[in-house]
Amino acid sequence: MTDKRKSFDWILLAIIALAAVLRIFRIASESLWFDESAVLVRIESSYWGLFTDWHSHRQGWLHPFLLKLWFGVFGSSETALRLPSSIFGVLCVWAIYVTGKKMFGRTAGLAAALFMAVSPFAIQHSQEARPYTLYLLGGILSIYSLVLLLERYSRGRAAFYVISTLVALFSHPLAILLFPAHVAGYFVFRQYPEYPAIRQNTRLLIRTLLLTVILSLPQTGRSLILFVLKARGGDISRWIPEATTSTLAQTVTHYFMYPPLGIAAVGILGLALLLYARSDRAARPMLLFLLAVVVFCLLLPWLASLIITPMFVHRYTIPAFAAVLLALGWALMKVPRLLRVMTIAGLIILTSIPLYSYYENVDRDPFRQMAEFVHAEFLPDDVVVAHPWWLKRIVAYYLDEYPEMKVYAPAGGDSVGDWAEIAGRIWVISSYKKVGAREDGVVDAVSEGRRIETDFDMADRVNLNPWRVHAAKVRVVRFGIRGPAASPGMEAVELVK
């Protein structure tokens, strides 16, 4: 038994090392995308502002707070900005192992950890300066700590539950959906005599949950207020698309980033549930608890998007992704060893296809490529216009390394200054699809008396990953030197993913 445990420990170490390599490898090979620039804007505010300046398009305060501390030491290069997410991503591999081991045994934990380690979906979020791996880490540990707490109540386990759940809650607004999943888990475990401590410590468990809710205020309260305002037609997160019946099915593609891999994984899990779930009494409450996580963190946002207001984005449901991997680990544990090894090998081979495409192709907005092109063609009197104005931070991030290149970001045509008249050529960099009336006036103002010399989408000049999660178009338009002829203007083009 001792040799077996040591062998498993070495396997876990190898899986964690693999996860670290895959998350560091080519971490700065791609441009920052727009949402990462939004994090840059946020960490440039004061520490107090991180707690008070919160809006629908921003996530919780914890990730930018940690990133601001990191930023002060390591700077704002692409590698420095993304490395904390990679660290959290590696910790997710460890976290899903200990959770799977506690729920179903070491074999299931190792299988779940392996799939998390090589998952292109998890790796992509581990290589961007966004809060999703921190959110995922908190979500996994909250599942783990609740199982520990329901098994045997102690102050240490209660503190672990409160802290891990708060990590998730302070990372993303939709982490609030973990609460109903946890309550459902409580009632599931309560039905099994193997967990007598639940009935004995009901009041303590309720107090622990209430303490977590209280400590998560005011963020959870503000999230609920924003949701109500959005449901009433407010101007909040308008970019989230309308949900359809196919949106839910697309979750499999997003989670596995390759349809055959997603179909295979879901098929294996479904077959195992049909064959073994009823007979495996020890695993049944764990599986029902994971089902509750999927229902509340995945199905509920989708239903709310269909009935109330759009709020479903696949990366927002990332705790459900962890639940699926944990259940998949259990499914593989149930099959004979030789078949298990062959199945895992087949899944890894399928995973290598989207993983190779992820590393070799472009998965994010090509702002860096835009900057390289503009710099190569730039003349001394040229200026750059970021359009709409809120693109200035991401455009300037890549153009600031060229001091001779001036970047303007007027909010509307009436705010265009004299620089537009005396400039040589004007480069207009546009991205994302929703441009308001005031922003539309910018192009008319800067292009007056000029003709278009260059007009193309940078996304058409790079090799996009066919299974990418997101890569917006980045349109580059160059207006020539002002002359007597009127400009034909910029044709309206919708800039979407």
Side-chain angles (χ1 to χ4, degrees):
M1 180 65 70
T2 302
D3 292 339
K4 189 176 182 180
R5 287 184 180 275
K6 287 184 178 179
S7 176
F8 274 153
D9 289 340
W10 281 107
I11 292 173
L12 175 62
L13 182 62
I15 291 173
I16 292 176
L18 175 63
V21 170
L22 291 176
R23 282 153 179 76
I24 299 300
F25 179 64
R26 303 193 67 179
I27 190 173
S29 64
E30 288 202 48
S31 168
L32 297 179
W33 68 295
F34 174 72
D35 280 19
E36 290 179 285
S37 72
V39 173
L40 268 175
V41 172
R42 198 169 183 197
I43 64 177
E44 288 168 355
S45 65
S46 66
Y47 283 103
W48 178 247
L50 295 177
F51 295 97
T52 58
D53 183 17
W54 194 89
H55 200 262
S56 62
H57 65 283
R58 297 171 179 167
Q59 315 301 350
W61 60 266
L62 183 57
H63 177 259
F65 176 81
L66 297 174
L67 200 58
K68 186 175 178 66
L69 294 174
W70 181 274
F71 177 88
V73 178
F74 298 100
S76 61
S77 68
E78 292 154 329
T79 300
L81 287 170
R82 290 169 171 168
L83 195 56
S85 293
S86 295
I87 295 172
F88 298 138
V90 174
L91 290 175
C92 286
V93 176
W94 165 81
I96 204 167
Y97 164 74
V98 297
T99 306
K101 176 187 173 184
K102 183 63 183 176
M103 298 180 99
F104 306 116
R106 293 176 71 88
T107 300
L110 287 170
L114 177 60
F115 292 132
M116 179 70 79
V118 301
S119 164
F121 180 74
I123 291 170
Q124 171 153 337
H125 290 300
S126 297
Q127 292 192 333
E128 64 177 23
R130 299 291 284 143
Y132 297 107
T133 51
L134 184 59
Y135 176 26
L136 177 61
L137 178 63
I140 296 171
L141 291 179
S142 72
I143 293 172
Y144 176 54
S145 60
L146 182 64
V147 172
L148 292 176
L149 194 60
L150 295 178
E151 179 186 64
R152 178 175 60 83
Y153 187 92
S154 70
R155 290 184 177 179
R157 293 185 175 194
F160 182 26
Y161 170 78
V162 171
I163 293 172
S164 59
T165 306
L166 287 177
V167 167
L169 289 166
F170 291 149
S171 299
H172 197 276
L174 286 194
I176 194 173
L177 297 176
L178 287 169
F179 281 136
H182 291 175
V183 172
Y186 165 82
F187 284 106
V188 165
F189 284 98
R190 187 182 174 91
Q191 306 305 313
Y192 290 80
E194 294 90 339
Y195 300 91
I198 296 178
R199 296 180 182 274
Q200 299 169 6
N201 299 291
T202 298
R203 291 186 178 181
L204 292 174
L205 292 169
I206 292 175
R207 289 176 184 174
T208 302
L209 181 63
L210 289 176
L211 176 62
T212 310
V213 172
I214 292 170
L215 291 176
S216 69
L217 296 174
Q219 179 163 305
T220 52
R222 296 179 75 176
S223 298
L224 290 172
I225 292 172
L226 288 172
F227 175 74
V228 172
L229 293 175
K230 178 174 172 56
R232 292 181 175 179
D235 185 19
I236 297 171
S237 297
R238 290 184 302 169
W239 62 269
I240 298 179
E242 297 283 342
T244 64
T245 53
S246 64
T247 303
L248 190 61
Q250 293 168 3
T251 302
V252 175
T253 303
H254 278 260
Y255 281 178
F256 295 95
M257 291 181 68
Y258 184 51
L261 174 61
I263 293 170
V266 172
I268 292 168
L269 177 57
L271 185 60
L273 289 171
L274 287 174
L275 295 176
Y276 305 114
R278 180 172 295 183
S279 60
D280 193 348
R281 178 177 173 82
R284 201 180 308 160
M286 304 295 181
L287 292 171
L288 290 173
F289 178 29
L290 294 178
L291 176 62
V293 173
V294 172
V295 167
F296 286 103
C297 294
L298 175 65
L299 293 179
L300 186 59
W302 174 70
L303 288 173
S305 297
L306 285 177
I307 300 170
I308 305 174
T309 184
M311 60 179 294
F312 185 89
V313 180
H314 292 97
R315 59 184 179 271
Y316 292 0
T317 69
I318 205 166
F321 168 69
V324 170
L325 292 190
L326 287 166
L328 184 60
W330 165 83
L332 292 168
M333 180 195 70
K334 300 300 295 184
V335 302
R337 183 170 183 175
L338 179 59
L339 181 58
R340 180 193 313 148
V341 173
M342 293 174 61
T343 304
I344 291 176
L347 291 174
I348 295 299
I349 291 172
L350 285 175
T351 301
S352 67
I353 297 173
L355 194 58
Y356 176 82
S357 186
Y358 168 73
Y359 285 122
E360 291 299 315
N361 296 300
V362 173
D363 294 80
R364 295 176 177 87
D365 310 346
F367 283 105
R368 181 199 293 163
Q369 294 90 331
M370 170 277 299
E372 291 170 351
F373 176 85
V374 173
H375 178 255
E377 301 285 330
F378 202 79
L379 296 178
D381 292 329
D382 289 1
V383 298
V384 176
V385 175
H387 171 66
W389 63 268
W390 31 262
L391 288 179
K392 182 176 182 179
R393 189 63 186 89
I394 185 65
V395 173
Y397 180 85
Y398 287 105
L399 295 184
D400 278 353
E401 61 180 284
Y402 311 116
E404 71 277 12
M405 302 179 72
K406 297 180 180 179
V407 180
Y408 296 92
D414 55 356
S415 60
V416 173
D418 294 339
W419 52 265
E421 296 183 6
I422 61 176
R425 302 177 304 176
I426 295 181
W427 298 78
V428 178
I429 311 301
S430 302
S431 190
Y432 290 82
K433 63 180 180 180
K434 292 193 176 180
V435 181
R438 277 181 55 82
E439 287 90 354
D440 285 343
V442 171
V443 174
D444 293 336
V446 302
S447 64
E448 184 178 356
R450 303 173 184 270
R451 289 193 175 276
I452 294 177
E453 296 180 343
T454 300
D455 185 357
F456 66 91
D457 174 16
M458 184 57 67
D460 293 333
R461 299 194 175 192
V462 298
N463 295 320
L464 292 175
N465 181 2
W467 301 296
R468 63 192 179 276
V469 173
H470 178 91
K473 296 180 179 181
V474 177
R475 189 179 179 190
V476 179
V477 180
R478 185 181 71 210
F479 292 97
I481 296 174
R482 182 186 291 271
S487 168
M490 242 175 104
E491 181 184 355
V493 175
E494 190 175 47
L495 298 169
V496 296
K497 291 182 182 180

